[in-house]
């Protein structure tokens, strides 16, 4: 465990149980969001690679028009 996490937990232990539960719920939600993001990113690699190949093919075939931000 890192020093920072130890410091945080020491402070959390000083709080009333309701506030501890609130903080714990936030942390668990954040961890779950991170897990879901990692899973979604890992599962999207094939799709991203396919899109990258398609864009490269479009560029090579001249189907891409270079524009500035003002032209959008």
């Amino acid at each position: 465990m890192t020093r920072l996490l130890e410091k945080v937990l020491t402070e959390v232990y000083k709080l009333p149980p309701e506030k501890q539960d609130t903080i714990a719920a936030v942390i668990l939600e954040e961890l779950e969001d991170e897990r879901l993001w990692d899973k979604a990113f890992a599962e999207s690699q094939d799709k991203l690679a396919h899109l990258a190949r398609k864009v490269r093919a479009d560029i090579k075939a001249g189907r891409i028009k270079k524009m500035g931000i003002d032209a959008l």
Side-chain angles (χ1 to χ4, degrees):
M1 184 180 315
T2 67
R3 289 183 187 165
L4 180 58
L5 185 55
E6 286 179 11
K7 181 178 179 180
V8 168
L9 290 176
T10 298
E11 294 303 312
V12 170
Y13 291 144
K14 297 175 186 177
L15 298 172
E18 305 80 37
K19 290 194 179 198
Q20 289 183 22
D21 283 348
T22 300
I23 291 171
V26 169
I27 292 170
L28 287 172
E29 184 178 319
E30 188 65 30
L31 291 170
E32 179 63 9
D33 284 349
E34 185 69 21
R35 187 190 67 75
L36 291 173
W37 174 255
D38 287 346
K39 182 177 183 251
F41 185 74
E43 291 173 353
S44 69
Q45 293 305 297
D46 289 340
K47 292 176 187 174
L48 291 172
H50 172 74
L51 287 172
R53 284 190 298 274
K54 184 180 180 322
V55 168
R56 283 194 291 273
D58 287 346
I59 290 169
K60 189 174 183 178
R63 293 187 292 263
I64 300 295
K65 179 180 174 185
K66 189 173 184 175
M67 338 171 74
I69 190 73
D70 295 331
L72 295 176

